[in-house]
Amino acid sequence: MSTIANEVKNRPEPIPFIEAFRYWLKLGFISFGGPAGQISLMHQELVEKRRWISEHRFLHALNYTMVLPGPEAQQLATYIGWLMHGAWGGIAAGVLFVLPSLFILSALTWIYLTYGDVPSVEGILYGIKPAVTAIVVFAAYRIGSRVLKNNVLRTISALAFVAIFALSVPFPYIVLMAGFIGYLGSYFLPEQFKASHHHAELGKTFEPALIDDDTPVPEHAKFKWTRLMMFSVIGLAIWTILMVTLLITYGWDGTLTQMGWFFTKAAFVTFGGAYAVLPYVYQGGVENYQWLSGTQMIDGLALGETTPGPLIMVVAFVGFVGSWTKEIFGSEMLPLAGAAGAGVATLFTFLPSFLFILIGGPIIEATRHEIKFTAPLTGITAAVVGVILNLAVFFAYHVLWPKGFEAEFEWLSLFIGIAAFVALFKYKIGIVKVIGACAVIGLGYSLILHM
């Protein structure tokens, strides 16, 4: 009895909404380091320091977001905010996780488009591009080493690479086929498709938390058909109103309308994180719609890596550059056009993420341990490794032969890329530090050339 009494005594007091709001706002400005860094940051703050949620419940939420398309760190923040303060708590946590990044990235994109031809800026970007290529290769290695545990999954990854590299198969079709193979595998080769629990190493013992292991599920988090229908209708209504408004204002072929439709589709194929959806965004933004060039896509990823928030915020860069390039409001209002494009891209990309949490959470929670549910995700994640390798090949081509194979080979870029990969792989140096060092090398090289 005394142990239970002590646990109750040590348990934190209920957290007011405004206090949680302040924390989520702060998190939006300091969430560097990609999903792994962001998840670690939330774990340290919410589990270890503030004790708002227990270790078990935190991992439960994390596993939940891992089976959803979309940025897992942003969805994890949304989930915890929702668990603590209901729908408005989840919306506040998710929006504030993204909003600072949107403003910062939009400002940097404006600087990039306005002053990108300045020699010093060109030099910085020259150094950053091979670093970004190394980061993508390293991402493929990290995901591959975790996921490709057997020859079946390695084969799926190899086939995905061939499909997108040699056959130009659109990314959504690759996702669907990999998911279907995983579903069949759950029946015929279930041992080969068991998901790996790569977050288990986080497990430790901490003092009692506000939302502890034995804390009952709050009323607002319980599954109810009426609640599911309500959020479904509201979400669909918001999406429909936005799309119809864009359709009436700009027509179906209008840049903003096409962005709304394209980034809605992108939101449903982001299994495996931002690196997985980048090839799809590249296919659409660069090849199909020609909103930006391949080189600009690399630059956008570099800016996304150096700003807080989820890496998938690179869609804001694509939207900004695309609307600027297409001059949707005329040549005199390019910054406003860019801001509109960034806003549309961000809104349509992240709207489904909120609905996945508010609508699908209880359903996915109930099926989280079933192999028939997790096997398709395992298959998709295996395919994602091959797709990311294709992206690395694309980046390497543009970095090492920026003017085509017939032009000069960029030996310095190769050296910077190798050095960046070694720093990431062997010395475990953070991404922001690696990009910063490579930017300095590029700037120095540019200054020497223009002396």
Side-chain angles (χ1 to χ4, degrees), residues 203-219:
K204 293 180 183 177
T205 302
F206 300 100
E207 293 183 15
L210 176 64
I211 303 176
D212 217 342
D213 295 358
D214 57 352
T215 304
V217 176
E219 184 61 31

Side-chain angles (χ1 to χ4, degrees), residues 327 329-337:
E327 298 183 355
F329 298 148
S331 59
E332 302 298 319
M333 303 179 71
L334 295 180
L336 182 62

Side-chain angles (χ1 to χ4, degrees), residues 34-66:
Q38 291 155 359
I39 290 167
S40 176
L41 188 65
M42 280 189 280
H43 181 271
Q44 183 180 21
E45 191 73 20
L46 299 181
V47 177
E48 298 179 25
K49 290 184 179 179
R50 298 176 184 251
R51 294 184 293 118
W52 287 1
I53 187 168
S54 72
E55 172 79 2
H56 173 75
R57 297 293 281 269
F58 182 90
L59 292 176
H60 185 71
L62 180 57
N63 287 333
Y64 175 7
T65 61
M66 283 293 295

Side-chain angles (χ1 to χ4, degrees), residues 67-117:
V67 302
L68 298 173
E72 63 193 58
Q74 185 263 353
Q75 290 176 332
L76 177 61
T78 304
Y79 183 98
I80 296 174
W82 164 69
L83 200 58
M84 291 178 64
H85 294 108
W88 287 112
I91 292 169
V95 168
L96 293 174
F97 196 90
V98 170
L99 208 56
S101 178
L102 173 61
F103 288 125
I104 294 169
L105 194 56
S106 295
L108 290 176
T109 307
W110 175 78
I111 294 171
Y112 165 79
L113 291 171
T114 306
Y115 301 105
D117 293 330

Side-chain angles (χ1 to χ4, degrees), residues 70-412:
E72 63 193 58
Q74 185 263 353
Q75 290 176 332
L76 177 61
T78 304
Y79 183 98
I80 296 174
W82 164 69
L83 200 58
M84 291 178 64
H85 294 108
W88 287 112
I91 292 169
V95 168
L96 293 174
F97 196 90
V98 170
L99 208 56
S101 178
L102 173 61
F103 288 125
I104 294 169
L105 194 56
S106 295
L108 290 176
T109 307
W110 175 78
I111 294 171
Y112 165 79
L113 291 171
T114 306
Y115 301 105
D117 293 330
V118 176
S120 59
V121 177
E122 284 184 334
I124 290 171
L125 291 172
Y126 179 89
I128 286 177
K129 288 171 186 175
V132 168
T133 304
I135 289 166
V136 174
V137 174
F138 185 59
Y141 164 77
R142 280 187 313 178
I143 298 173
S145 62
R146 189 182 77 219
V147 173
L148 306 181
K149 300 294 186 182
N150 55 66
N151 288 333
V152 172
L153 297 179
R154 294 184 192 109
T155 301
I156 293 173
S157 180
L159 290 173
F161 176 82
V162 172
I164 196 166
F165 178 79
L167 305 177
S168 299
V169 177
F171 181 62
Y173 295 152
I174 294 175
V175 168
L176 289 173
M177 282 305 301
F180 180 67
I181 292 171
Y183 178 75
L184 293 178
S186 69
Y187 284 95
F188 300 107
L189 296 167
E191 288 298 317
Q192 306 294 317
F193 285 88
K194 283 188 176 178
S196 60
H197 301 285
H198 55 282
H199 295 290
E201 65 271 13
L202 287 175
K204 293 180 183 177
T205 302
F206 300 100
E207 293 183 15
L210 176 64
I211 303 176
D212 217 342
D213 295 358
D214 57 352
T215 304
V217 176
E219 184 61 31
H220 63 258
K222 293 179 180 177
F223 176 79
K224 290 184 179 179
W225 281 106
T226 53
R227 189 175 288 132
L228 181 146
M229 293 300 298
M230 179 185 70
F231 284 127
S232 299
V233 169
I234 292 174
L236 186 60
I238 292 172
W239 183 88
T240 302
I241 290 170
L242 291 171
M243 277 302 296
V244 169
T245 301
L246 292 175
L247 186 62
I248 293 173
T249 307
Y250 303 105
W252 177 248
D253 294 324
T255 298
L256 292 181
T257 310
Q258 287 297 303
M259 283 184 177
W261 178 238
F262 174 74
F263 287 112
T264 296
K265 292 185 291 182
F268 286 92
V269 296
T270 52
F271 291 96
Y275 289 109
V277 79
L278 285 175
Y280 178 64
V281 174
Y282 161 72
Q283 281 185 335
V286 177
E287 295 181 349
N288 297 341
Y289 295 104
Q290 298 179 337
W291 292 329
L292 73 171
S293 68
T295 301
Q296 287 175 324
M297 186 73 187
I298 303 173
D299 295 338
L301 182 57
L303 292 176
E305 290 278 16
T306 54
T307 53
L311 180 57
I312 200 176
M313 282 303 296
V314 71
V315 301
F317 176 88
V318 174
F320 197 107
V321 176
S323 296
W324 178 296
T325 302
K326 298 297 183 180
E327 298 183 355
I328 60 173
F329 298 148
S331 59
E332 302 298 319
M333 303 179 71
L334 295 180
L336 182 62
V344 167
T346 302
L347 182 58
F348 282 94
T349 299
F350 282 93
L351 178 60
S353 286
F354 290 96
L355 298 179
F356 289 145
I357 299 296
L358 298 177
I359 295 173
I363 301 172
I364 297 175
E365 280 278 300
T367 57
R368 187 166 60 86
H369 297 293
E370 293 183 13
I371 183 68
K372 292 178 180 61
F373 183 78
T374 59
L377 177 67
T378 302
I380 290 169
T381 309
V384 157
V385 178
V387 172
I388 295 173
L389 279 176
N390 170 74
L391 184 70
V393 172
F394 159 74
F395 279 4
Y397 168 72
H398 281 274
V399 168
L400 300 178
W401 291 275
K403 297 179 182 177
F405 284 126
E406 67 280 358
E408 218 174 296
F409 182 81
E410 290 288 343
W411 288 102
L412 180 59

